[in-house]
Amino acid sequence: MFDLDLWREIFQSINKNRTRSLLSGFTVAFAILLFAILFGLAKGLENTFSDAFNDDANNAIFIYAGRTAKAHKGLQAGRRIQFKNEDYDYVKEEFSDKVQYITARIYRNVTATFRNEKNSYSVRAVHPDHQYLEVTSIKEGRYINQRDIDEKSKVVVIGRLVEEDLFLKTTALGKYINLNGIQYKIVGVFTDEGNDNEERIIYMPVSTAQRIYGNNDYIDQINLTYNPEMDYDEAISFGRTITNKMKDRFDVASSDQRAIRIQNMAEANKNVGQMTGALGIIILIIGFGTLIAGVVGISNIMIFIVKERTKEIGIRKALGATPKSIISIILIESILITAIAGYVGLLVGMGILEWAGPMLETYFIKDPSVKPSLIIGATITLILAGSIAGYLPAKKASQIKPIVALRDD
């Protein structure tokens, strides 16, 4: 394998037969190139689906209140459903064994000012568990805690962009911000992986908002995450159970789809999983089809190479070359060309994905990429296939008597 003369002969053979070598390499490079692009596009679609749901916990369930669409139990249609603290407590206690985190939400819009800076923002009044549902990361300070809820504290946690908008010459942590004429102490600054709007939100304790905005116990929404050990079907069934229980609680017809609505991430995740799974199978079939085409191309070229070199093999045998050495020369040359061409195909394929990545976002393909290990595996497959395809004719040619090989046309 490391015989200098052997490698010299191989490179001389490649240099002497450039067209043949280029055709062999092109077959491999093109197969690897297509393989890389196909799997890169599939990964890009997977990234798009993942990013669409990374703003919230993947096991979240959102419970919304609306108006009844149907009369039921003597109650007219058009009745407004209004959640209260007791409904939040009911869900929390009734499904305690299946709920991981739970929070209420109250929505308000405010004008925030700090010194000479002013801007409008959305306020979400929440419980401490909301941090885990929204996948919020604390940059400085802390999040809302249970003591804030119990004491109805005038504290807020602001988004990173709120700090950038209003606190131009200082940091926000520990300062007081004016929201519609009321001062709140900033106890934390957060970041969010969602879009910029998510970092222009202000969080406050739900009890504080209830006292200030109406002195009541109303809430707008109930959010929770189910036990992550549940599979998709169990989580979907759990969501339907919550829906039925809440409809019974508010005397809503079971067929009324507007009064109480539930958005269950398990349903979306299951659909996405099925879609990406089907897409993966299609890409896998196409990818293997590409590899098979490459294998066939290499096989044909190997057979042609051996046939073309029959006279050369005869001369080598006449000079005392062993069958093993003849087979080694042919196979090592094939493996060398395939490895180099595969690497070139990998580089070109990844280069195309890198270049086209920004343009592909328009078609909902984000950050298309492919693991080098996958492409290396495909290249090794082609090398092995080419070696096997070339071994049999090479072995057959190596067994021909020199006089017969020299007479070959």
Side-chain angles (χ1 to χ4, degrees), residues 164-182:
E164 290 186 7
D165 290 344
L166 302 181
F167 298 83
L168 303 181
K169 298 180 179 180
T170 184
T171 58
L173 188 64
K175 306 295 192 304
Y176 284 83
I177 187 172
N178 187 304
L179 305 181
N180 289 349
I182 300 175

Side-chain angles (χ1 to χ4, degrees), residues 149-296:
I149 302 292
D150 296 339
E151 297 180 357
K152 302 178 181 179
S153 305
K154 292 181 180 179
V155 297
V156 292
V157 180
I158 67 173
R160 176 183 62 87
L161 295 181
V162 177
E163 181 179 37
E164 290 186 7
D165 290 344
L166 302 181
F167 298 83
L168 303 181
K169 298 180 179 180
T170 184
T171 58
L173 188 64
K175 306 295 192 304
Y176 284 83
I177 187 172
N178 187 304
L179 305 181
N180 289 349
I182 300 175
Q183 296 287 336
Y184 295 82
K185 184 177 181 180
I186 298 172
V187 295
V189 179
F190 72 88
T191 60
D192 194 293
E193 293 184 1
N195 55 43
D196 287 351
N197 290 333
E198 293 295 331
E199 293 188 333
R200 284 196 167 91
I201 290 175
I202 299 173
Y203 292 117
M204 71 169 57
V206 65
S207 57
T208 304
Q210 288 174 333
R211 184 181 69 175
I212 292 174
Y213 301 112
N215 195 26
N216 55 47
D217 62 351
Y218 295 149
I219 56 179
D220 296 327
Q221 185 179 330
I222 301 172
N223 300 344
L224 60 91
T225 57
Y226 56 81
N227 189 329
E229 294 183 0
M230 291 185 183
D231 59 30
Y232 289 146
D233 291 333
E234 290 174 336
I236 291 171
S237 176
F238 174 50
R240 290 170 181 165
T241 300
I242 294 176
T243 303
N244 294 334
K245 292 274 189 179
M246 294 297 285
K247 284 183 177 180
D248 289 343
R249 184 174 175 83
F250 284 91
D251 294 324
V252 173
S254 59
S255 58
D256 193 332
Q257 302 299 317
R258 294 173 55 187
I260 296 176
R261 296 174 292 111
I262 285 187
Q263 179 186 352
N264 193 339
M265 294 297 290
E267 295 178 2
N269 289 329
K270 183 178 181 179
N271 291 335
V272 169
Q274 291 174 340
M275 185 181 301
T276 54
L279 179 64
I281 292 173
I282 293 172
I283 294 295
L284 195 62
I285 292 173
I286 296 174
F288 275 112
T290 303
L291 288 184
I292 291 171
V295 169
V296 172

